[in-house]
C-alpha cells in the first residue's frame, strides 16, 4: 500500500504540474489541459507507428510540438480574453472539446493505442512486485519538481515567471512583457502535460475519454493544494493519492472515484484558497 | 443545330431522372442505426456490408420471381456513448425509417434501454429489427409480453444470461482441471458488469467456491494494485475480471508485473482481438477471455469461422477486434435474406414468420430463435450458436472451452506453481 500510494501520488503530481504552472504564472485556468495530455499520447503513438521514428525522438518531438501548440493557443485565443475569467474557462474548455471530438472523428477509437514502457520488467520492494515504469514515474516526478525549482530560481525567464506571478504591474515596469511570459507559461504547461502523458500512458492505453479524467484529477490536486502553488500540488498529490489507495484497500475501489471530489469539498469549506494557495487568501483573512 | 442539341440533352436528362427512381427501387435497403464510432458498431457495420456485397455478387436476394439487390444505410445514433440521451437514438432510427425507407435494421442499439424503447418504433412501422449488440434479457420478456406487437424484433447475439452461463462453464472447467475453488471478483462499476459479477458471486457460493473479495472499479480506473494485493494475500486461485473499459488492460499488466499467483479468467473487452497482443504483448499471456460469439477469429474446428475471418480480412484489410457483434451481424444479413426467399415476398408479417422458423448454419453456429426471438446458444456449433473461452498462449488465441471446438488446454502463468 505504501509503495503503490507513493506511485499514485507521483502520477497525480505529474498530471497536475503543467496545469498548475500555467495558472500560477498567467492566471489562466487551462481547461484544455486534459485534451493536450491525450493529444500528446496520440501524437507520440503516430510518430512511432506511422512515421517509424524512434521512441525517444518521438517523445522529444511531441514535447516540443505540444509546447509550441500551447503557446499558439495563448497567442491566438487566450491573449485576447486574458483577465476575463469566465471567457478564459469557456474558451479553453471549448478548445478541449474541439480537440477531443476531432480525435474521435478522425478515428482514434478502440483499444490499440498504447505507448511502450521505457524499461520492461518488475522489481520486488517490501515483498511487493512493482513494474519499473511505475518507479520511473516517481523518478520523473522528482526530476520535474527539482527542474522546475531550478528553472524558476536560476534562469532569467524563470525569474520573469516568478515576477509576473508575484506582481504583474511591477514586473511590467521592470521590462518584463506579461503577455510573452504568459504565452511561455502556457507553452511550458502544455509541454509538461505532454511529458506527463509520455511517462504515464505506457501503463495503459490512450483513449479520448481519459482527457476529461485527467483534467478532473489535475483540477482537484490544484484546488486542494492551492492554485498556483507547486509545493501545494506536491502535498495535495500525496493526500489524494494515499487517500485513494487507502480507500481502495480498506473500503472499496468503488469509492476511490469520490475521494478527490470529497477533498475539494472539504478544502473549499475550510480553506477555499487551498492548502498553500495565495488566490483569495487576503479575502479569506479579512 | 445548337437548339436541337440542347433539346436532346434536356430529354436525355428527363429520361435519366425518370429511370433513376426505378433503379433505386430495385434495392432493398437495410438500416444500420448504431454507434458507428464504437468498435462493435464499427465492425458490425463492416461485417453486414461484407455479407451484402457477397449476396449482391451472386445476383441479390430472390423475392418471388425477381432478384433484388441489397444496400445499407448506416447512421451513427451514438447510443453507446456516455451522455447521449435515448431520445436522440430513437430519432435517428425514425429518420432512417422515414427518410431512407429502410426495409429492416441490422446491428442496432448498444444500450439496452434504447433497444427496449426502439422496439415500439419497429412495431409501429412494421420494420424488422435483428439486433446484434444490446444484451438485456428484458428483450425476450418484452417480446413474450405481447408477441403480436413485438414480433418484428429479433436478437441474433448473446444475452447477459447466456454470458453468465458461459462464465460459469469456464469456472467449472478451471475447477475440473486444477481443483480450484477460491476466487476474487473484480468488475467495472457499471450496471451490466456489476450485475454479472453479483450473479457470479451467488453462483460461486452456491457451488462450493469461496469468494475472497468483490471489487468494483470506477470507469477510467488506472490502478488495480490494491485489489490485486487483496487477492494475493487472501490466497485466491482465480481472479474473475468483468470489464469493457479501455483502461482495463492495465489490470492484466499489473497482474503480471506484480506476479499475482492466480489465474486471470473472465471478460476483458480490450484484450479480445489480435491487436491486443500487438498493444500489450507478453503482458497478457495467460489471460482467459470469454468470447460472446465465435467467428471473429478463425476456429479450425468450425470452418465457417475461418471462411468469414478470411473474407473480412480480404475485404477490409484488418481483422476483427471485438468478441461481440461482428460475426452475428454478418449472419444476420443471411438470416434475413433466407427468410425473405422462404417467404417469397417482402411482406414483413410473412417474413417474420419465416424468421421465427429459421434453422440454418451460420458463422456463430446453428441459428435458431426461441419464442422470445432470442438466438439459442449452446456448446456445440452443430446444434446451437456458440460462445467460447480462449487463452492467450504466446500470441495465439487458443480455444480452451467448449470441448467441441477446443484446441488447447489451460496453461498456468509461469510464476504460478
Amino acid at each position: 500500500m505504501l509503495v503503490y500510494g507513493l506511485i499514485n501520488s507521483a502520477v497525480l503530481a505529474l498530471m497536475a504540474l503543467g496545469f498548475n504552472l500555467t495558472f500560477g504564472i498567467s492566471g489562466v485556468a487551462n481547461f484544455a489541459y486534459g485534451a493536450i495530455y491525450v493529444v500528446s499520447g496520440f501524437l507520440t503513438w503516430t510518430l512511432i507507428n506511422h512515421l517509424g521514428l524512434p521512441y525517444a525522438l518521438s517523445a522529444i518531438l511531441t514535447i516540443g510540438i505540444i509546447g509550441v501548440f500551447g503557446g499558439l493557443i495563448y497567442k491566438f485565443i487566450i491573449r485576447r480574453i486574458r483577465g476575463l475569467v469566465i471567457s478564459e474557462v469557456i474558451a479553453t474548455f471549448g478548445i478541449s472539446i474541439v480537440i477531443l471530438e476531432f480525435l474521435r472523428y478522425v478515428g482514434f477509437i478502440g483499444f490499440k493505442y498504447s505507448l511502450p514502457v521505457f524499461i520492461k520488467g518488475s522489481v520486488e520492494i517490501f515483498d511487493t512486485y512493482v513494474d519499473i515504469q511505475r518507479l520511473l514515474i516517481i523518478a520523473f516526478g522528482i526530476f520535474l519538481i527539482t527542474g522546475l525549482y531550478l528553472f524558476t530560481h536560476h534562469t532569467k525567464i524563470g525569474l520573469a515567471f516568478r515576477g509576473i506571478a508575484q506582481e504583474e504591474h511591477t514586473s511590467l515596469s521592470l521590462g518584463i512583457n506579461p503577455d510573452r511570459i504568459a504565452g511561455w507559461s502556457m507553452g511550458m504547461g502544455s509541454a509538461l502535460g505532454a511529458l506527463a502523458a509520455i511517462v504515464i500512458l505506457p501503463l495503459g492505453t490512450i483513449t479520448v475519454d481519459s482527457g476529461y479524467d485527467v483534467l478532473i484529477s489535475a483540477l482537484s490536486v490544484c484546488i486542494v493544494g492551492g492554485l498556483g502553488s507547486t509545493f501545494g500540488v506536491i502535498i495535495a498529490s500525496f493526500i489524494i493519492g494515499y487517500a485513494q489507495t487507502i480507500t481502495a484497500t480498506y473500503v472499496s475501489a468503488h469509492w476511490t472515484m469520490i475521494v478527490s471530489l470529497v477533498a475539494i469539498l472539504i478544502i473549499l469549506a475550510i480553506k477555499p484558497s487551498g492548502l498553500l494557495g495565495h488566490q483569495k487568501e487576503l479575502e479569506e483573512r479579512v | 443545330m445548337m437548339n436541337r442539341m440542347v433539346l436532346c440533352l434536356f430529354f436525355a436528362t428527363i429520361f435519366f431522372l425518370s429511370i433513376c427512381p426505378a433503379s433505386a427501387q430495385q434495392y432493398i435497403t437495410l438500416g444500420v442505426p448504431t454507434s458507428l464510432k464504437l468498435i462493435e458498431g464499427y465492425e458490425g457495420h463492416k461485417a453486414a456490408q461484407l455479407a451484402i456485397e457477397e449476396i449482391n455478387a451472386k445476383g441479390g436476394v430472390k423475392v418471388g420471381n425477381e432478384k433484388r439487390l441489397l444496400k445499407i444505410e448506416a447512421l451513427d445514433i451514438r447510443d453507446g456513448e456516455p451522455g447521449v440521451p435515448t431520445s436522440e437514438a430513437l430519432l435517428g432510427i425514425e429518420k432512417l425509417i422515414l427518410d431512407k425507407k429502410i426495409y429492416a435494421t441490422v446491428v442496432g442499439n448498444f444500450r439496452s434501454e434504447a433497444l427496449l424503447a426502439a422496439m415500439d418504433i419497429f412495431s409501429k412501422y412494421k420494420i424488422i429489427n435483428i439486433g446484434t449488440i444490446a444484451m438485456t434479457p428484458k428483450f425476450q420478456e418484452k417480446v413474450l409480453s405481447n408477441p403480436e406487437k413485438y414480433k418484428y424484433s429479433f436478437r441474433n447475439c448473446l444475452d447477459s444470461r447466456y454470458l453468465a452461463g458461459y462464465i460459469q462453464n469456464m469456472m467449472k472447467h478451471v475447477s475440473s482441471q486444477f481443483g480450484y475453488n477460491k476466487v476474487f471478483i473484480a468488475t467495472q462499476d457499471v450496471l451490466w458488469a456489476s450485475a454479472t459479477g453479483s450473479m457470479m458471486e451467488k453462483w460461486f457460493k452456491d457451488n462450493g467456491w469461496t469468494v475472497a473479495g468483490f471489487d468494483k472499479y470506477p470507469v477510467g480506473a488506472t490502478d488495480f494494485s490494491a485489489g490485486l494485493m487483496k487477492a494475493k494475500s487472501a490466497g485466491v486461485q482465480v481472479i474473475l475480471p468483468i470489464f469493457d473499459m479501455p483502461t482495463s488492460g492495465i489490470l492484466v499488466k499489473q497482474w503480471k508485473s506484480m506476479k499475482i499467483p492466480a489465474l486471470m479468467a473472465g471478460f476483458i473487452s480490450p484484450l479480445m482481438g489480435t491487436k491486443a497482443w500487438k498493444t500489450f504483448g507478453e503482458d497478457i499471456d495467460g489471460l482467459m477471455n470469454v468470447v460472446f460469439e465465435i467467428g471473429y477469429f478463425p476456429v479450425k474446428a468450425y470452418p465457417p469461422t475461418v471462411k468469414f475471418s478470411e473474407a473480412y480480412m480480404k475485404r477490409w484489410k484488418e481483422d476483427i477486434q471485438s468478441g461481440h457483434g461482428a460475426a452475428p451481424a454478418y449472419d444476420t444479413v443471411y438470416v434475413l435474406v433466407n427468410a425473405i426467399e422462404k417467404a417469397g415476398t417482402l411482406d414483413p408479417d410473412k417474413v417474420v414468420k419465416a424468421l421465427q422458423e429459421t434453422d440454418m448454419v451460420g458463422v456463430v453456429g446453428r441459428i435458431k430463435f426461441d419464442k422470445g426471438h432470442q438466438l439459442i446458444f449452446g456448446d456445440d456449433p452443430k446444434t446451437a450458436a456458440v460462445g467460447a473461452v480462449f487463452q492467450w498462449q504466446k500470441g495465439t488465441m487458443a480455444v480452451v472451452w467448449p470441448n467441441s471446438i477446443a484446441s488447447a488446454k489451460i496453461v498456468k502463468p509461469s510464476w504460478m506453481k
Side-chain angles (χ1 to χ4, degrees), chain A residues 109 122 134 202 205 207 248 254, chain B residues 37 189 216 246 253-254 257:
Chain A
I109 49 172
S122 55
R134 284 189 153 75
T205 47
T207 60
H254 166 77
Chain B
K37 294 276 191 323
D189 194 12
K216 295 173 188 172
K253 284 177 93 170
Q254 281 192 300
S257 67

Side-chain angles (χ1 to χ4, degrees), chain A residues 4 104-105 109 111-112 114 117 122 127-131 134 202-205 207 213 245 248-249 252-254 256-257, chain B residues 37 39 189 215-218 220 222-223 225-226 229-230 232 244 246-247 250 253-254 257-259 269-270 275 279-280:
Chain A
Y4 277 92
R104 215 191 298 271
Y105 175 76
I109 49 172
F111 310 123
K112 66 177 177 178
S114 178
V117 292
S122 55
D127 205 24
T128 304
Y129 282 96
V130 183
D131 41 346
R134 284 189 153 75
L203 296 178
T205 47
T207 60
D213 299 330
T245 306
T249 307
S252 165
H254 166 77
T256 54
M257 62 199 287
Chain B
K37 294 276 191 323
I39 193 78
D189 194 12
D215 266 8
K216 295 173 188 172
Y217 289 87
T222 53
D223 182 16
S225 55
M229 288 303 293
K230 277 191 266 182
K232 188 181 177 183
D244 71 356
T247 55
I250 301 170
K253 284 177 93 170
Q254 281 192 300
S257 67
M258 293 171 75
K259 298 186 180 174
S269 174
K275 283 179 185 164
T279 304
F280 295 101

Side-chain angles (χ1 to χ4, degrees), chain A residues 169-181:
Chain A
H169 294 101
T170 312
S171 306
L172 187 62
S173 69
L174 293 170
I176 300 169
N177 182 341
D179 267 340
R180 185 177 298 166
I181 296 301

Side-chain angles (χ1 to χ4, degrees), chain B residues 28 78 93 95 110 150 179 218 246 292 368 370 375 382 386 388:
Chain B
I28 297 168
R78 300 172 64 230
I93 291 170
K95 181 181 163 64
F110 266 68
Y150 296 116
F292 286 18
K368 289 169 85 173
D370 66 16
L375 178 62
K382 287 178 191 150
V386 167

Side-chain angles (χ1 to χ4, degrees), chain A residues 40-225:
Chain A
S40 305
F42 282 124
L43 180 58
T44 312
W45 185 90
T46 305
L47 292 173
I48 295 169
N49 292 285
H50 284 271
L51 300 184
L53 298 181
Y55 192 8
L57 179 62
S58 305
I60 293 164
L61 274 176
T62 299
I63 293 167
I65 292 168
I66 293 297
V68 172
F69 178 62
L72 291 175
I73 289 177
Y74 181 84
K75 181 167 179 157
F76 292 107
I77 300 170
I78 308 299
R79 195 174 65 166
R80 294 152 207 277
I81 52 172
R82 189 165 164 232
L84 306 168
V85 179
I86 298 293
S87 302
E88 285 172 1
V89 170
I90 291 170
T92 52
F93 196 65
I95 293 166
S96 168
I97 290 171
V98 168
I99 293 172
L100 293 177
E101 294 309 315
F102 176 74
L103 289 171
R104 215 191 298 271
Y105 175 76
V106 296
F108 284 109
I109 49 172
F111 310 123
K112 66 177 177 178
Y113 305 102
S114 178
L115 299 177
V117 292
F118 297 173
I119 303 170
K120 278 193 172 186
S122 55
V123 291
E124 196 175 354
I125 302 171
F126 303 132
D127 205 24
T128 304
Y129 282 96
V130 183
D131 41 346
I132 296 169
Q133 185 70 23
R134 284 189 153 75
L135 296 177
L136 285 174
I137 288 176
I138 300 175
F140 266 90
I142 295 167
F143 167 75
L144 261 189
I145 290 162
T146 313
L148 266 180
Y149 178 84
L150 293 174
F151 172 76
T152 51
H153 286 76
H154 298 284
T155 67
K156 201 176 168 186
I157 194 162
L159 291 169
F161 270 31
R162 288 174 64 207
I164 294 290
Q166 284 166 12
E167 179 47 62
E168 189 167 326
H169 294 101
T170 312
S171 306
L172 187 62
S173 69
L174 293 170
I176 300 169
N177 182 341
D179 267 340
R180 185 177 298 166
I181 296 301
W184 271 95
S185 76
M186 185 93 172
M188 267 196 72
S190 303
L192 285 177
L195 179 61
I198 289 162
V199 179
I200 296 167
L201 286 173
L203 296 178
T205 47
I206 316 166
T207 60
V208 171
D209 289 327
S210 61
Y212 299 106
D213 299 330
V214 169
L215 176 64
I216 289 170
S217 294
L219 258 180
S220 57
V221 168
C222 291
I223 290 171
V224 172

Side-chain angles (χ1 to χ4, degrees), chain B residues 17 30 129 222 267 297 302 316 328 392 397 407:
Chain B
L17 288 175
L30 305 185
N129 159 51
T222 53
F267 173 71
F297 69 95
Y302 188 58
W316 300 111
W392 281 108
M397 297 153 78
S407 60

